[in-house]
Every structure is written in structure tokens, then in C-alpha cells.
Amino acid sequence: MPAIFTVDPRSGVPIYLQLIEQVKRSVALGVLSPGEQLPTVKQLALDLTINANTVARAYRDLERDEVIETAPGRGSFVRADGVAHQVGAAGDVVAEAVTQAVREAKSLGLPAGKVRQLFEAAVARWFPEEK
């Protein structure tokens, strides 16, 4: 499997959360298909030069969120019934992106009303048929 995951240790976001977000995004976008095997914990830790416990934690959380399943001795796979979970995974990815945008707005000193106004304008722009 080509390396599709990257981590940025300087981002301020814990590495295991970066991995979770990337796996969920890959599942939501169809980059990872149901039944597709993920890199082993050891291989991904080696590829990303991170601690194997960090990868294992991300995989445990992904399994808890029903995005992946692990077969002892065989590895971790995107859940075969992942179609239903892709919607949830996509929601998780979007929720994280919105959280980051709101955090950025707050750090720049924008009031909550202005943030809501910007959010509503973005929704109206991208979903004009749902007015």
C-alpha cells in the first residue's frame, strides 16, 4: 500500500488524532474501500517514524468508532459494512474542519455572530438548492 498517511508533529494536534482523521477522510472519500487492509501498526509506525503505541491507539479508536475492524493475526481492515459508517466518518471529518475554522475565527477575535454569518453564507453558497 502506498503511503497515504502523513503526520505533522508541529501541528499541535496529537498524532493519533491526525491518523484517525486521515483514515476517516480516506474512507469517506473512497480512497480506502470497504475490506481494504490498512498498514500494520508496526509498518505504519516505521513509515511515519512514530511510536507504534500511537498507531495502535488510533486503530483502537477507529475500531471503537466502527470504521475499521481488526482480525487477530491478519491485520486491520476497513469495515465491510463501511458504507453506513462512511456517512458518520464524513460527519466526523467535517465536524473537525468546522471546529478548526471556529477556533481560527476565535483566535482572530471574530465575534460569534460574525462566525455564524460566515458559516451561513458558506452553506448558502454551496447548497443554493436547499434554501
Side-chain angles (χ1 to χ4, degrees), residues 23-94:
V23 170
K24 287 182 175 179
R25 177 182 297 271
S26 296
V27 171
L29 296 174
V31 175
L32 290 173
S33 305
E36 188 168 345
Q37 185 171 14
L38 296 173
T40 65
V41 168
K42 185 176 179 180
Q43 186 60 55
L44 189 55
L46 194 62
D47 290 347
L48 299 174
T49 59
I50 59 176
N51 190 306
N53 291 329
T54 302
V55 178
R57 180 174 181 182
Y59 280 16
R60 275 194 311 273
D61 287 1
L62 287 164
E63 193 167 0
R64 184 198 65 221
D65 293 345
E66 300 181 335
V67 176
I68 68 171
E69 57 191 352
T70 300
R74 294 187 49 231
S76 297
F77 301 85
V78 176
R79 286 180 60 111
D81 61 347
V83 174
H85 299 290
Q86 286 180 14
V87 174
D92 290 347
V93 170
V94 171

